[in-house]
Amino acid sequence: MSVRQIILDTETTGIDPEAGHNVIEIGCVEMIRRKLTGNTWHQYIKPDREVEAEAIEVHGITNEFLADKPRFAELAREFLEFVRGAELIIHNAAFDIGFLNTELARNGINERVDEICTVIDTLMLARKKHPGQRNSLDALCRRYGIDNSHRELHGALLDSEILADVYLVLTGGQTSLQLGQGDSEDGEGEEPIRRIDTSALMLPVVRAGTDEIALHEAFLDLLDKKSDGAVWRNLN
């Protein structure tokens, strides 16, 4: 059975949940067998305090916009059921998990996100792969050639979609985020591999000339002197 992965991001009123700051946006996109399924969970949340001006400059979410949105307590159970049992993929996971767990505790909910899910921190993965380099989401997009030109401001759902692409490249697998069309857990419904018929192709074969062979042998003689023997001469 394939692991259900949820790429998750949040936006907040400020940077410190212990100082009373709140989560104001949660964005989740689902991925199974390294393909986006099209299943998402996205909510804006009315906070218990005003959004700081510095935070608005980052994500553009204003107090006026949030005035009629539901509070965290109204959405918490729905959110937990969406992510339950999944492998969460988060950039700088300590920040998002810390905020979410603080919100759950603040609203009298005993469950914790990292107790019902496993967590992969792509920032930690990136730091191991690219030590000493910038590893923000924007920096990784530039490094991997991922188009994030539509990202003028931070947004939880948009950042989750971009992070999904970054995660696939970062972990060395598929880089195209095609929605699963007809895919199933056992692989049925996948488009079969199409082989190219090369029988009609007339490919020229260019063989080495006498001078080229002599130069190659001279090079192998040089390798023999500098090593324990040229391995090419042991190949048939």
Side-chain angles (χ1 to χ4, degrees), residues 5-7 31 34 87-94 118-137 140 143-144 163-173:
Q5 295 178 305
I6 301 293
I7 300 89
M31 186 163 62
R34 299 179 69 81
E87 183 175 77
L88 300 183
I89 299 169
I90 307 173
H91 201 68
N92 192 14
T118 57
V119 179
I120 293 177
D121 188 343
T122 50
L123 178 59
M124 296 297 102
L125 292 180
R127 285 175 175 172
K128 289 180 181 178
K129 191 169 185 178
H130 308 291
Q133 299 182 53
R134 294 190 63 188
N135 289 299
S136 67
L137 190 56
L140 291 171
R143 186 172 301 142
Y144 295 145
L163 180 58
D165 213 347
V166 168
Y167 170 77
L168 291 176
V169 182
L170 187 62
T171 54

Side-chain angles (χ1 to χ4, degrees), residues 14-206:
I15 62 171
D16 187 2
E18 297 301 325
H21 284 288
N22 298 124
V23 174
I24 56 173
E25 184 187 11
I26 303 173
C28 303
V29 296
E30 182 185 65
M31 186 163 62
I32 296 177
R33 298 174 63 215
R34 299 179 69 81
K35 288 185 179 180
L36 292 181
T37 67
N39 191 19
T40 65
W41 194 90
H42 179 228
Q43 289 287 350
Y44 290 103
I45 303 164
K46 182 178 181 179
D48 298 326
R49 58 176 295 165
E50 288 194 346
V51 185
E52 291 187 343
E54 293 83 355
I56 296 175
E57 290 179 4
V58 173
H59 49 59
I61 303 172
T62 64
N63 295 290
E64 292 75 18
F65 175 78
L66 296 171
D68 62 347
K69 301 302 183 287
R71 293 194 178 273
F72 186 88
E74 301 173 55
L75 305 169
R77 291 297 179 188
E78 181 182 334
F79 165 71
L80 289 174
E81 290 313 308
F82 183 83
V83 301
R84 188 179 302 280
E87 183 175 77
L88 300 183
I89 299 169
I90 307 173
H91 201 68
N92 192 14
F95 178 87
D96 299 86
I97 295 296
F99 255 101
L100 289 168
N101 283 344
T102 299
E103 290 282 21
L104 290 168
R106 186 181 290 149
N107 287 277
I109 299 171
N110 294 326
E111 290 188 290
R112 299 293 175 266
V113 174
D114 49 339
E115 294 176 350
I116 64 171
C117 303
T118 57
V119 179
I120 293 177
D121 188 343
T122 50
L123 178 59
M124 296 297 102
L125 292 180
R127 285 175 175 172
K128 289 180 181 178
K129 191 169 185 178
H130 308 291
Q133 299 182 53
R134 294 190 63 188
N135 289 299
S136 67
L137 190 56
D138 284 336
L140 291 171
C141 286
R142 289 192 296 271
R143 186 172 301 142
Y144 295 145
I146 295 170
D147 182 16
N148 67 338
S149 57
H150 51 305
R151 184 187 189 240
E152 296 180 2
L153 293 169
H154 288 251
L157 187 61
L158 174 61
D159 284 2
S160 293
E161 292 169 346
I162 294 172
L163 180 58
D165 213 347
V166 168
Y167 170 77
L168 291 176
V169 182
L170 187 62
T171 54
Q174 169 191 331
T175 60
S176 176
L177 287 181
Q178 300 174 351
L179 295 181
Q181 297 177 351
D183 291 347
S184 63
E185 285 295 310
D186 57 5
E188 294 181 0
E190 291 187 350
E191 183 179 349
I193 296 173
R194 292 182 295 171
R195 304 295 181 184
I196 299 175
D197 182 8
T198 61
S199 61
L201 297 178
M202 300 296 293
L203 300 177
V205 178
V206 180

